[in-house]
Amino acid sequence: MDNDEILRTHGEALALFGARVHAVRDDQWDAPTPCAQWSVRDLVNHLTAEQLWVPRLVRDGATIADVGSEYDGDLLGDDPAGVWDRAAVAAVAAFAERGALDRTVELSYGPGPADAYCAQMMADAVVHAWDLSRAIGADERLPGPLARAALREVEPYASGLADSGLFAPAVEPPADADDLTRLLCLLGRRP
């Protein structure tokens, strides 16, 4: 993907996840998700924390050590949707700054290009939008272009994800699987 497409799909993925966050009813925050051991609140908190890291890493050039435990624990407080919205806006703005995608960022696995980081964040938001949809009973169908972009992002390194311990082993998709189903199966989900 070129930088314009990376920024566009990242923004669309965060908007999609945000729409699902705003659809969470008060009685659903403790509901289970397809992510082992995560409630709806845990899932939204995870993605919110990821967005809060973006300005620090991309705009400020901070390292993992610089940020430390700043985004550990519950960040959502009494206004989960509002906290999510502010974090998402800040992440989109940081990636959209002139030259931001040409920078090198310090990630948990070492330095890497900011454009690749943005693409990874897009794919993560797409997959977790599906997780959140399933958890709250929302429409699990996601936009085809976003699913395709996330699949293209994840395919090259998907085989190593289960080894990280953060993902379940891949599931064999049906022969006629669409891009979203293929993406979810690669990441150990059972659509």
Side-chain angles (χ1 to χ4, degrees), residues 99-115:
L101 294 184
D102 298 322
R103 297 176 186 147
T104 297
V105 293
E106 183 69 34
L107 302 172
S108 60
Y109 51 83
D115 61 345

Side-chain angles (χ1 to χ4, degrees), residues 98-159:
R98 180 182 297 265
L101 294 184
D102 298 322
R103 297 176 186 147
T104 297
V105 293
E106 183 69 34
L107 302 172
S108 60
Y109 51 83
D115 61 345
Y117 175 43
C118 187
Q120 290 166 10
M121 295 288 282
M122 171 275 299
D124 198 44
V126 170
V127 171
H128 286 318
W130 180 85
D131 291 331
L132 187 53
S133 297
R134 176 155 284 189
I136 66 171
D139 188 355
E140 294 178 16
R141 293 172 299 170
L142 304 181
L146 271 181
R148 194 167 18 268
L151 178 62
R152 281 193 328 241
E153 168 58 29
V154 170
E155 277 180 319
Y157 53 82
S159 62

Side-chain angles (χ1 to χ4, degrees), residues 19-34 38-45 76 80 131-140:
R20 297 306 193 269
V21 171
H22 282 273
V24 176
R25 294 187 322 261
D26 289 343
D27 64 339
Q28 292 179 312
W29 288 102
D30 292 325
T33 70
W38 276 358
S39 68
V40 166
R41 186 178 183 87
D42 295 332
L43 176 62
V44 173
N45 191 68
L76 302 178
D131 291 331
L132 187 53
S133 297
R134 176 155 284 189
I136 66 171
D139 188 355
E140 294 178 16

